Amino acid sequence: MKRILKWVGGILGVLLLAAGGYLIYLFTTYYRVPDDQALKVKNQQSTQFKPGQTYTAMTYNIGYGSYPPSYSFSWMAANIREPTVKSPCVPALMV
């Protein structure tokens, strides 16, 4: 019985040590872009909007500012490729 309790205690100790180490890693490597940064306008426009006129707009997802450009939220970004196995059912589904 003591042997089992020692093993369980050892496993729990290792897990707690790993979780504690991970928390220390998280807190020591945390970096955040400072708030309220002054930004310069690079392409100042002089045209004013006119009431009653229809306008169109285009948007672009610039991502989340705390991550480097190499980080991607997309689950497909790391795994875009052709399937390796061709299924005979696929053409039947594309009717």
Side-chain angles (χ1 to χ4, degrees), residues 2-89:
K2 282 187 176 184
R3 178 183 262 176
I4 294 173
L5 288 176
K6 283 184 180 181
W7 273 95
V8 171
I11 291 172
L12 285 176
V14 167
L15 289 175
L16 286 173
L17 188 64
Y22 183 64
L23 283 174
I24 290 170
Y25 164 75
L26 286 177
F27 280 101
T28 57
T29 60
Y30 181 76
Y31 171 75
R32 182 178 168 155
V33 176
D35 293 333
D36 300 323
Q37 290 185 352
L39 302 175
K40 294 180 182 178
V41 177
K42 289 185 177 181
N43 190 12
Q44 182 68 38
Q45 300 293 312
S46 60
T47 308
Q48 297 290 321
F49 289 112
K50 297 180 178 127
Q53 182 145 356
T54 303
Y55 295 96
T56 59
M58 184 175 81
T59 63
Y60 178 73
N61 183 6
I62 61 170
Y64 180 67
S66 289
Y67 291 115
S70 61
Y71 183 84
S72 174
F73 281 104
S74 173
W75 61 272
M76 291 181 64
N79 207 5
I80 297 176
R81 60 182 177 180
E82 290 294 318
T84 55
V85 178
K86 304 265 185 199
S87 171
C89 300

